[in-house]
Structure formats: C-alpha cells, structure tokens
Amino acid sequence: MSRSHDAPLGRHLLDRRGFLSHMATGVGGIALSAMLAEKGLLAAEPPGGPLAPRAPHFAAKAKRVVHIYCTGAVSHLDTWDYKPELIKRHGQPMPGSEKLVTFQGENGALSKSPWEFKPRGETGKYVSELIPHLAERTDDLCFIHSLTSKTNTHGPGEMFMSTGFTLEGFPSIGAWVSYALGTDDQDLPAYVAIPDPRGDPQQGPANWTNGFLPAVFQGTSFNADKPIRHLARPANVSPYDDRAVRDMIRILNDEHLARNPGDDELSARIAAYELAARMQLSAPEVGDLSRESPAVRSLYGLDDPNPLLAGFGRNCLLARRLIERGVRFVTLFNGAFAMGEGALNWDGHRRIKSDYDRHGPILDKPAAALLIDLKERGLLDDTLVVWSTEFGRMPTFQKGTEGRDHNPKGFTAWLAGAGVKRGFSYGATDPFGHQAVENVVDVHDFHATILHLLGLDHERLTYYNNGAQRRLTDVHGHVIREVLA
C-alpha cells in the first residue's frame, strides 16, 4: 500500500494490485500464526504481562534453577574426576600422544593432581582436598563425568555453555527459561546474573543476554556488593510525586500499547520500566543481608578474612534470597575475566597449584553453604542447582610449565536437588581423564536435561527468528534420562 503525494495527510490511495498483494500476505500470516499456535510453536503473551507465570509442557520436578558457573575452565582432574592410573603413571609420557599439541602448544608428561583425593560420604566418592566443604556434599550431588564441548577457547566455550552456541547473539539458557515459564515474583526479575566480586566473565553480558527473544527476558545483572543502579528515588522528589508520575506513565503506556497491539519490543520495554519501579522496594530488601542470622552469615563465610571468599559468600547468600522469593533462574559466576592466566579465574596454564590454592577456597565454603542452606530450608526439593565450567584440562602439564592446557574432550559437571539422583555418577573419561569414553554427552544434552527437569521439552521450546524456529539446543540434544530420579 503506497501513499499518494497528492493526498491529504493521513489519507492513502489503494491500487488493486497492492490491495490484493497485501491481502494475500495478511491472510497467509494469519494462517501461519494459527498453525504455529496449534503446534505450540507460537507463544501468546499470558495475561498479566510477559513475565507472568506460565505452565510448563509437562509436570516439572524443579521450579527454579541456580547455576554456579566457574569461568576459566576448572580442571576436572584436580577436583571431581579421580584417576588412580594418572597417579600411577605420573611423570611418564601419555600413551599415543607423542608431541601432542593442544591449545597453547606442546605437552609434557602425565601429571597427577597436587591434591590428594579421599573417599567422601556414604557413597565413598573420591573428591579432591582442594574443595573439602563441597566434597562433604557429594551424597547430594549427581555427577556427569563425560561432558564434552565443541570448542577449546574460553570465549566461545562460555557462549556454548551459556547459550548453546559458540557465537554471540543467541539467548542464554536463563532467558529461554524465563521466556517459557515467567516468574512467581512480579516485583523481582525472572532471571538474575550475579557477577563474581572480581568482575564479569570474559564474554560479559553475552552470557545472560536475551538474544533475539524480547528484551524483557534478558538477565538483570547485580551482586551483593554492587546492587542494581539508579533504583533509588531522587532526594528532591517526594513519594507522592513519584507515584503520580508512575501512574501517569502507566496510563500513557497502556494507551500507546493499545494503538500498537502485538508489538513485542514495546511490550517488553513497558514491562521493564514497570518492573524497575516495583524493584525500588523489593530489590533493596532482598539484598539486605543484615537480616540473616549470625549462624547463616558464618555458614557462608561472610566474616572470613579473605575478602574475595566473603564477597562470593555474600553472592551465594543473595542467590538463596532471590530463589526463595520466586526468581526463576539465577546464574552465580565464580571467577572473572583477566588477561593474566589464572589471576582472577580458573585458567591454570602455568602454576596450577598456587592458582587453585587461591581460587579453591573462594568457591568451596560459600557454594557448599548454599547447598546446605537450600536443603535445610526445603528449597532443594524443588530447586535445581547446576555446577559447570566451559571445558576441562589436560592430564599432562604443558611443556615447561606446572599447569594444564585446555581440554574439551572430557570434563565434569554436576546437578543437585529437584529431580536428579543423589550420590550418583554418570559417564567416565579414559584412565588418564583425557577424553570421555563412556556415555559421552555434550552441552546440548546437558541443556536438554535442565529444561526437562523444569517441565520443558527442548524440541518444543522455540522462537521464530530470521527464517527459522530457533531453540536452545539448536537441532541437537537428548535428555540424559539416567541421571533423573
């Protein structure tokens, strides 16, 4: 439909060809929408706005998720994956790996872990002394020892674990979950990303992006020491004036939205502004850790002399407070981007012993406290806790160093809580921990399993973008049913 230069403003002339062309397009669009809706591929905005609670595809075991993400690629061989043969063959060449070249170059001999592994809990699971507090929780954990990645580079590895794709621009798993399920608390974000006290991960906000999903599903980033900015009412504005302005803006927004039905971006912006207004009251309260008892503060290590351990402890406690108020998905980052290898994260290329002796305690006590606290409050019954990193490490030391190079061929992640087996191990790497050889799975399978526990079919959770029905798992992924309780 074209507009005539001679017609008065606001009037348009129709030619027959244009009218028939646009009518055919419109009818086709209506038919397509009906078919997509019938197949469950086109999600209608629920009553109450885009973040209103939605029903899952089927009965869910988990209502919410806490994802502890360790940046820098934690060595599975120095934490969770006990390899007696690696200890026995320490200092010898790895069979079949003559002049093996990995991400940073040539490798040296097989190298056992600098930390002793001991049997833990009723299951007798061997776990490293590097993480003694988490080791004591092994009876609650469900290990996946055969995870693989498609990249050996940190940035793409972060993206793959966070979004299911190695390139930026795709929605994070937290955005997909909040898009699918909304949230039970309309005064807090559905999805919160909590950066480490040391800073953001390497890919920063791309880890919690909404990608091509409506903007309202992007993660809100803040931590215990850096609360959400610009929430406080200016001192020169009275509470009455503040409410009056918000009420007027709401009226104008409703009228504007009524004139533009179906505008997802407009709806998302309005929802985001309204959420920000509600968070003026809710966010300061949820971030007020002084309300916690001395026993809880001690459990998380809030008064520890190590300021980084205390800072991560505050973040873990914040995660629990968000979860118990109904926030759907929380990503809790441990480690930050740094140019110096191993300085601020788990990238132990040169001196794994001294680097991990620094990083291990920061993760260990607060993360274990989160598991204990959730369990004691009954929240672990319907909360899924996920621990992961972007890939693993080599069983050899890099030539001329005392550190391990990148290894995407086999590494460990674990799940705990709602819907998964307790004290269970699935899959295995070879005797040296080099590559997954038993029940091999990848990140798509890992994501499909997390969605399944939330009552979501990863093949049905889609969004139309750029000519394709996109999903978190792309065209891959299978639920790891063996880990389900």
Side-chain angles (χ1 to χ4, degrees):
M1 189 162 56
S2 60
R3 188 170 123 189
S4 168
H5 294 289
D6 300 324
L9 186 63
R11 294 180 60 190
H12 298 76
L13 296 179
L14 292 174
D15 62 75
R16 186 173 61 180
R17 180 179 299 172
F19 173 78
L20 293 174
S21 173
H22 282 79
M23 185 179 71
T25 303
V27 171
I30 293 170
L32 177 61
S33 297
M35 290 190 331
L36 293 177
E38 182 180 350
K39 293 181 177 294
L41 300 176
L42 187 66
E45 184 173 306
L51 292 177
R54 310 185 195 205
H57 294 138
F58 49 83
K61 295 294 182 69
K63 292 182 179 179
R64 60 195 78 85
V65 175
V66 177
H67 183 185
I68 304 170
Y69 185 89
C70 287
T71 66
V74 177
S75 169
H76 55 299
L77 297 167
D78 298 292
T79 49
W80 315 110
D81 201 0
Y82 175 57
K83 293 297 176 185
E85 190 68 15
L86 182 61
I87 298 172
K88 179 181 176 181
R89 304 281 289 272
H90 175 73
Q92 299 179 21
M94 186 166 69
S97 64
E98 185 179 357
K99 295 184 179 180
L100 176 67
V101 175
T102 52
F103 180 75
Q104 283 204 349
E106 194 172 347
N107 284 255
L110 291 167
S111 298
K112 67 179 182 180
S113 176
W115 297 274
E116 184 179 356
F117 280 67
K118 295 181 179 180
R120 309 287 181 166
E122 295 181 3
T123 61
K125 175 78 172 179
Y126 275 76
V127 181
S128 168
E129 275 289 284
L130 173 64
I131 42 175
H133 293 89
L134 282 168
E136 292 302 320
R137 311 311 308 168
T138 53
D139 286 347
D140 289 326
L141 306 184
C142 180
F143 292 95
I144 300 173
H145 286 303
S146 52
L147 199 56
T148 60
S149 179
K150 62 170 63 173
T151 176
N152 66 353
T153 307
H154 290 295
E158 277 187 9
M159 289 295 87
F160 194 34
M161 185 58 72
S162 294
T163 72
F165 293 82
T166 56
L167 300 176
E168 291 189 16
F170 292 89
S172 59
I173 183 172
W176 277 112
V177 170
S178 57
Y179 163 70
L181 299 176
T183 180
D184 291 330
D185 189 328
Q186 297 300 303
D187 294 334
L188 288 168
Y191 172 29
V192 174
I194 305 180
D196 187 271
R198 292 162 284 190
D200 286 344
Q202 179 166 326
Q203 300 304 105
N207 283 283
W208 53 86
T209 180
N210 59 297
F212 45 72
L213 295 177
V216 72
F217 301 112
Q218 176 171 299
T220 300
S221 172
F222 65 98
N223 65 18
D225 297 324
K226 295 181 179 179
I228 303 174
R229 297 177 294 173
H230 311 308
L231 278 184
R233 173 174 47 82
N236 61 341
V237 176
S238 71
Y240 175 83
D241 290 340
D242 188 37
R243 284 194 302 271
V245 169
R246 282 192 275 130
D247 289 344
M248 176 56 70
I249 291 174
R250 185 180 300 110
I251 292 171
L252 295 175
N253 281 338
D254 289 345
E255 290 182 355
H256 189 33
L257 188 59
R259 291 196 302 269
N260 298 274
D263 188 335
D264 290 339
E265 288 299 318
L266 174 59
S267 177
R269 288 197 300 274
I270 292 173
Y273 288 133
E274 291 177 345
L275 174 61
R278 295 193 299 273
M279 285 196 300
Q280 287 183 337
L281 296 176
S282 58
E285 187 277 332
V286 77
D288 185 3
L289 306 185
S290 67
R291 297 168 181 256
E292 300 290 339
S293 70
V296 169
R297 295 174 60 84
S298 176
L299 176 68
Y300 283 88
L302 268 57
D303 299 318
D304 195 276
N306 181 342
L308 293 176
L309 189 158
F312 186 65
R314 287 190 290 273
N315 285 351
C316 288
L317 182 51
L318 174 62
R320 190 221 79 203
R321 290 174 64 86
L322 290 165
I323 283 296
E324 68 182 345
R325 284 159 177 77
V327 172
R328 186 71 68 185
F329 202 106
V330 175
T331 305
L332 189 59
F333 289 95
N334 178 260
F337 176 64
M339 293 304 294
E341 293 163 348
L344 299 180
N345 60 37
W346 295 86
D347 195 20
H349 283 280
R350 304 296 172 187
R351 299 166 297 276
I352 200 166
K353 179 67 168 66
S354 59
D355 286 344
Y356 279 25
D357 276 343
R358 185 168 64 254
H359 299 317
I362 296 170
L363 167 72
D364 184 42
K365 182 175 182 177
L370 178 59
L371 289 169
I372 294 169
D373 202 10
L374 289 172
K375 187 174 183 179
E376 289 181 349
R377 293 170 185 268
L379 289 167
L380 206 55
D381 294 339
D382 56 8
T383 300
L384 177 67
V385 180
V386 179
W387 181 92
S388 73
T389 190
E390 56 260 41
F391 39 74
R393 294 271 161 185
M394 290 294 295
T396 54
F397 276 178
Q398 292 178 223
K399 192 170 184 178
T401 76
E402 295 181 350
R404 305 188 191 277
D405 205 354
H406 301 177
N407 178 20
K409 295 182 178 180
F411 62 107
T412 297
W414 54 254
L415 307 168
V420 297
K421 294 177 180 176
R422 298 174 64 250
F424 183 75
S425 295
Y426 178 79
T429 52
D430 63 44
F432 305 114
H434 179 213
Q435 58 186 359
V437 294
E438 179 184 315
N439 296 322
V440 181
V441 294
D442 66 11
V443 172
H444 297 302
D445 303 320
F446 192 52
H447 285 164
T449 306
I450 294 170
L451 293 180
H452 179 85
L453 289 162
L454 289 162
L456 298 171
D457 183 339
H458 72 104
E459 294 184 346
R460 290 174 58 193
L461 179 57
T462 66
Y463 191 90
Y464 184 79
N465 177 68
N466 199 24
Q469 289 294 144
R470 294 289 188 177
R471 68 187 211 213
L472 173 65
T473 53
D474 195 17
V475 295
H476 313 285
H478 298 87
V479 175
I480 310 171
R481 297 192 177 275
E482 293 83 353
V483 305
L484 305 180

